[in-house]
Amino acid sequence: MVATGKSVLVTSQKDKAIQVVDDLLKRLDLSELPMTLLRRDRQSKLHLQNRLDSIRKDRSQAEVTLEHASAKNRHRAEQDALTVTRRDFAAAVRAEAHVEAAAKALRSSSGLGRVTRFIKYWFARRRWDRRAPIPTDRLAIQGSNQRAKVGKSAQAALGLGAESLVSSATRGERQNLRELQQVLRRDQTSFKNYSVFDHLKSDIQRASGLLKMLPAWLMTPDDVARLFPCQPGLFDVVIIDEASQVDLPSIFPILYRAKKIVVFGDSRQMQARRFAFAAAKTAVEAYARRQMTSHDPAGFLDARKESLLDLAYVRSEKENLLNEHYRSMPPIIEFSNHRWYDDQLRIMTDEENKNFGRPDERVINVHRVVDGEVADGTQQNEREASALVEELARLVSDPDYSEATFGVIALFEEQMRLLQDLVADTIDEQTVSECEIVVVNPDGFQGDERDVVLYSLSYDANVMPQSAISARMMDYPIYRECSTSGLLEPGTRFTSSTRPTNPNSLSRTVGQAH
């Protein structure tokens, strides 16, 4: 989109989601894409300053404009060629499927029926040879090469586009760029600097000029509000990631700034809890006081119940299912695929692809902890927590898990704090840093990822019947999230080792390897 001259904003309420996108875009090594204010530390500001300074300003406008037009034409031609190859590939897949079905029928036939099947096979070959003369393997290689060319042509057009915009900028637009560079040196969260940011966004022409030279931005909703005026249609396209985590009051001002909206999310993930602090009675009274029922009788705008993803599902013009799952291994994702996705996901990982753990280790193991008990009036299970940290200490010292990263997830705050203390007492700070060990609750881990993940359920069979733990496992979002929402990278596997068996307490250890 940016390569064709569109202004684009990528946003999410989860800093981790934005950081992942930012890291992926940085791999393209494009100095002008994206402009990001994700992290407000000195290093991030310096990185952005370098991006701004690296855009060339030393060639004439006519020269750059001509070269940019040529680059855009090449990019469109590469896109058209790839579209044709994709169409031919789809036709070839259908052709080969029909021919294979005819060949299978021929192989299984005998006698007079075999003659009939041979004739059908011959006609199938003739018909589909005409419709799809190039086999799928050749088209796959051709398409792969064309995708690489499309990427390169897009990068070339994008770089020349940025240079063209800067070369044609007016004196005032160049002044805006310098002002932005100065503002980036200030503390964006300090109220003392609010007036500076207000001045930067006070003039719509100033914002339009800034987007003309820097069309791609990657920011949280708070940063968008801080830097850009609340002007309708300010961005050509706004892309919102992790939409199930985005509440409506925070995102509506961002949507107002968009001409077109693209929403990404998973309704089976954990839902946002930003308004959990508000009592239900207070929320109902506020909704009634503002007469929201008359404006929204169906309750689509009720921030207590709906996320942006829910609203987009109702009002969107088009919906696409991203059904190729690369992250979790089959034994993990197959359950979620069947239970929540109606078996629509295509599992692209291979269980034999193991980089961590021993080859004979299972993908998922349940560790039963001897005599684990939940303390009265709490959700703490000390023996379960100790067993989990002992297992974590074993894994971080195991050569089979060298260079692996680790996460510990507890369903309850009390158990999480207990585990944090035990990890701090048991594992040295250097190992915690090198292995990127985190101990969090499900909400704190949303959008993050680790090679090995250990779960603490804080379960006690003496005070919690099996029906209760089964219901918790079925309804609690973490069990959907861990296998479907992007905690893991492509080519992962889950592993764990065995523990002594006792039905009184249960902890779950899940590992992953790339």
Side-chain angles (χ1 to χ4, degrees), residues 467-505:
S467 58
I469 189 65
S470 298
R472 178 193 294 181
M473 294 176 68
M474 184 64 66
D475 295 334
Y476 202 88
I478 182 59
Y479 295 97
R480 300 193 294 266
E481 175 198 3
C482 68
S483 56
T484 61
S485 70
L487 303 183
L488 314 178
E489 284 292 339
T492 64
R493 70 178 286 267
F494 283 78
T495 65
S496 70
S497 61
T498 58
R499 300 290 295 177
T501 301
N502 186 289
N504 290 333
S505 184

Side-chain angles (χ1 to χ4, degrees), residues 193-244:
N193 293 321
Y194 284 177
S195 60
V196 178
F197 291 100
D198 288 342
H199 171 70
L200 183 67
K201 66 180 183 180
S202 61
D203 185 355
I204 182 59
Q205 297 302 322
R206 186 192 304 269
S208 299
L210 188 59
L211 289 175
K212 175 183 175 182
M213 291 184 290
L214 305 175
W217 293 79
L218 180 60
M219 296 185 291
T220 64
D222 289 343
D223 281 333
V224 175
R226 190 171 293 115
L227 286 179
F228 290 102
C230 195
Q231 179 72 20
L234 186 63
F235 292 92
D236 290 311
V237 181
V238 170
I239 300 173
I240 302 166
D241 194 17
E242 295 280 8
S244 63

Side-chain angles (χ1 to χ4, degrees), residues 287-300:
Y287 209 74
R289 185 168 60 252
R290 299 298 179 182
Q291 299 180 344
M292 287 298 297
T293 304
S294 60
H295 299 293
D296 179 34
F300 290 134

Side-chain angles (χ1 to χ4, degrees), residues 327-374:
R327 297 193 168 192
S328 302
M329 291 301 293
I332 296 296
I333 190 59
E334 281 171 352
F335 170 75
S336 295
N337 189 21
H338 179 71
R339 175 64 176 81
W340 286 286
Y341 294 94
D342 300 324
D343 295 314
Q344 296 181 79
L345 298 182
R346 298 173 58 200
I347 303 172
M348 312 300 288
T349 53
D350 183 356
E351 192 170 344
E352 299 302 319
N353 181 21
K354 300 177 180 179
N355 290 330
F356 294 113
R358 296 182 302 277
D360 59 341
E361 285 184 311
R362 294 190 302 173
V363 172
I364 304 175
N365 277 342
V366 174
H367 294 200
R368 297 187 179 275
V369 181
V370 177
D371 298 329
E373 298 179 351
V374 173

Side-chain angles (χ1 to χ4, degrees), residues 171-187:
R171 180 178 298 179
E173 290 169 342
R174 291 178 182 273
Q175 177 62 29
N176 289 340
L177 191 61
R178 287 191 291 270
E179 287 186 4
L180 173 63
Q181 291 175 312
Q182 292 297 322
V183 166
L184 291 177
R185 297 188 177 96
R186 296 176 177 265
D187 181 2

Side-chain angles (χ1 to χ4, degrees), residues 253-296:
I254 308 304
L255 303 183
Y256 184 69
R257 294 171 166 90
K259 295 178 182 177
K260 184 177 182 179
I261 303 165
V262 181
V263 174
F264 289 86
D266 186 346
S267 60
R268 302 303 184 179
Q269 287 184 353
M270 292 173 49
Q271 300 303 303
R273 300 183 181 180
R274 298 191 67 183
F275 292 90
F277 61 85
K281 182 178 180 180
T282 302
V284 170
E285 290 177 352
Y287 209 74
R289 185 168 60 252
R290 299 298 179 182
Q291 299 180 344
M292 287 298 297
T293 304
S294 60
H295 299 293
D296 179 34

Side-chain angles (χ1 to χ4, degrees), residues 58-97:
D58 56 347
R59 295 198 292 173
S60 69
Q61 179 182 349
E63 179 186 357
V64 175
T65 301
L66 182 61
E67 189 175 345
H68 182 221
S70 177
K72 288 196 295 184
N73 290 334
R74 286 196 300 270
H75 178 57
R76 293 192 186 99
E78 297 290 355
Q79 284 183 312
D80 293 341
L82 179 58
T83 300
V84 172
T85 299
R86 286 173 172 169
R87 183 194 62 201
D88 292 345
F89 182 79
V93 169
R94 292 193 296 269
E96 292 179 4

